[in-house]
Amino acid sequence: MSQQSLGLRDWLKTTLIFRELNPSQLQDLAHIAQRQRFSKKAVIFEEGSEATGFFVVKTGRVKIYKTSPNGKEQILQLFGERDYFAEVPAMDGQCFPVSAATLDASELLFFPRQDFLSLLGEHPEIAVGLLVSFSIHLRQLTKTIEDLAFKDVPQRLATYLFDQYARSPQSDTLTLDLTKSQLAATLGTIPATLSRAFYRLSQEGLIAVNGSVIEVLNPDGLQAFAQAHQPSDDEDPET
């Protein structure tokens, strides 16, 4: 067994989808994994293309998105190190329902569909991790749909910022790792409307903005705004 293969086996153990597997099963997975490197803003696959396998992010970040006929982009999910994506179309054999591209220079592990299905036949335990991943991604997608359908842009922004803040509650500041255009696409809006949303939250005394650094002035208020605010009848429909 090569040192490189051993290292990959141990790394796979740290991912949610494969963390319950034993060393032998992990080694079999490492054997079929294909390392793929992509430059920043590279397209990994496009909506409608054949789903020949699924991916785990080794390094970098990936966005999953759809593009409207007029060219507007909606980012559905963002994935970072140890996250995995495209496992559903890879399993059902259908085409990719969305597109994927890198936000940074990235290294991905690609698991070919046929090789992975053969492993499932040998190791049914691997399917447990897949079931967990299916449920997690379904919940994430449901939350995205609910936010887009029932929240205006300031409320979506408040939700996003509070979620980021809640991951590191020991600090009152957070640094946005998305550009304004990327964040706007994630929240289902345009940069100009996003700027107005930042201004709104600042005027409410909930945050202070200094470039990409956001200071959360009132965490409880930010959470309440995210959960309870409803758009008024005279608000811009874009918001």
Side-chain angles (χ1 to χ4, degrees), residues 77-94:
Q77 288 179 293
L78 297 172
F79 295 110
E81 185 176 339
R82 293 181 173 80
D83 289 335
Y84 40 88
F85 61 95
E87 70 277 16
V88 173
M91 292 302 100
D92 67 16
Q94 301 297 310

Side-chain angles (χ1 to χ4, degrees), residues 4-42:
Q4 181 180 19
S5 180
L6 178 62
L8 180 56
R9 185 197 72 180
D10 292 343
W11 186 87
L12 289 172
K13 180 70 173 178
T14 67
T15 65
L16 176 63
I17 192 173
F18 298 136
R19 68 182 180 185
E20 300 300 328
L21 302 184
N22 63 43
S24 176
Q25 295 164 343
L26 291 167
Q27 183 55 40
D28 287 342
L29 282 167
H31 181 70
I32 68 170
Q34 300 176 8
R35 294 176 183 264
Q36 297 185 356
R37 291 180 172 85
F38 296 87
S39 59
K40 183 178 181 179
K41 297 183 179 180

Side-chain angles (χ1 to χ4, degrees), residues 122-234:
E122 299 174 16
H123 305 296
E125 301 89 345
I126 297 176
V128 176
L130 279 178
L131 291 175
V132 172
S133 75
F134 292 164
S135 63
I136 290 174
H137 289 168
L138 179 59
R139 287 179 183 275
Q140 291 173 338
L141 183 58
T142 299
K143 183 178 184 300
T144 297
I145 294 172
E146 288 178 346
D147 286 350
L148 292 173
F150 302 120
K151 296 181 179 180
D152 63 9
V153 175
Q155 190 180 12
R156 289 178 226 160
L157 177 60
T159 301
Y160 178 86
L161 294 177
F162 184 80
D163 287 346
Q164 297 296 309
Y165 167 82
R167 295 175 185 176
S168 301
Q170 68 275 12
S171 174
D172 290 333
T173 63
L174 56 94
T175 301
L176 299 177
D177 58 358
L178 298 176
T179 67
K180 180 179 287 188
S181 295
Q182 291 168 346
L183 181 55
T186 301
L187 299 180
T189 187
I190 58 176
T193 304
L194 179 63
S195 294
R196 293 198 295 271
F198 270 114
Y199 179 76
R200 170 77 177 277
L201 297 184
S202 299
Q203 290 296 104
E204 295 279 348
L206 303 176
I207 63 172
V209 181
N210 183 14
S212 62
V213 178
I214 310 298
E215 181 181 2
V216 179
L217 302 175
N218 183 351
D220 292 339
L222 187 65
Q223 183 181 31
F225 188 99
Q227 294 177 344
H229 174 72
Q230 294 295 329
S232 60
D233 294 337
D234 58 353

